[in-house]
Amino acid sequence: MHVLVVEDEPKLLENLIIGLGHYGFEVTGASDGVGLDAALVEKKIDVIVLDLGLPGEDGVEIAQRIRAQSTIGLIIVTSRGLIEDRIIGYEAGADLYFVKPIDIGELAAAIRSVERRLAQSPGSPWQLEIESSSLITPGKIRVRLNSQEISVLKLLLSKIGEDIGRTELLAVLGLPDDISFYSRLEVLISRLRTKVVKSDPAFPLPIQTRYSRGYAFVTESGA
Ligand code: CA
């Protein structure tokens, strides 16, 4: 579990890094939004602990921006303790909101709780989130899908590792099994691959083309 702590007060940042380290987390520190962006590119972060009062981009804006494109765990730890502030924090997308000072043991428990929410679907690192019409990549990036893409991915993800014939794929799209529709299927899969790789270059969509048969969603673990 890798936690990214964003805190501009050096002593507090150091205490959080050391304290969470004692609870068994791998911890990276950043002092502002720029440092956070750099860490997100370099490392696979599971949960972000975010201060709101930061130099440069404010923590609330950072939270909104992160949440717009990712389901990553987000815990706000701030000195802003008013109910209005808490509401703003939750509306910006925080999973949990704590007012300083926070007990390090409580923060560690909160991080584990958020992580359990993220690990709700143990079958595959790829998850479909139907409510928001999105695919969640293993990097926790949310990729918006159209209804056809959802139908196809739903079928492929329901039978991971299996070859799914064109007939079956065309059927979920409401199209007849006719050679004239094969190219539409190819275009749809190809656009889907492009869309995912643009959103999360670290995790190309593992859909394999089965020559003259159809497609298969194949993950490394086979799970
Ligand atoms: Ca601060």
Side-chain angles (χ1 to χ4, degrees), residues 2 4 6 28-30 33-45:
H2 200 141
L4 171 60
V6 189
T28 295
V34 175
L36 167 136
D37 289 340
L40 286 178
V41 170
E42 281 165 26
K43 314 207 158 120
K44 195 199 161 300
I45 303 295

Side-chain angles (χ1 to χ4, degrees), residues 6-9 12 31 51-55 77-80 100:
V6 189
E7 167 60 61
D8 62 321
E9 175 56 49
L12 182 53
S31 58
D51 178 27
L52 292 185
L54 294 168
V77 178
T78 178
S79 52
R80 298 179 193 168
K100 292 173 184 170

Side-chain angles (χ1 to χ4, degrees), residues 5 61 89 107 116 120 136:
V5 180
E61 286 162 37
L107 181 58
R116 276 195 297 276
Q120 61 196 337
I136 313 297

Side-chain angles (χ1 to χ4, degrees), residues 45-86:
I45 303 295
D46 298 292
V47 174
I48 297 171
V49 174
L50 180 66
D51 178 27
L52 292 185
L54 294 168
E57 190 183 12
D58 187 74
V60 171
E61 286 162 37
I62 293 174
Q64 286 166 339
R65 161 164 88 72
I66 288 170
R67 191 49 90 224
Q69 57 179 10
S70 164
T71 59
I72 196 166
L74 184 58
I75 300 174
I76 289 177
V77 178
T78 178
S79 52
R80 298 179 193 168
L82 299 175
I83 292 294
E84 291 84 344
D85 290 320
R86 289 171 180 265

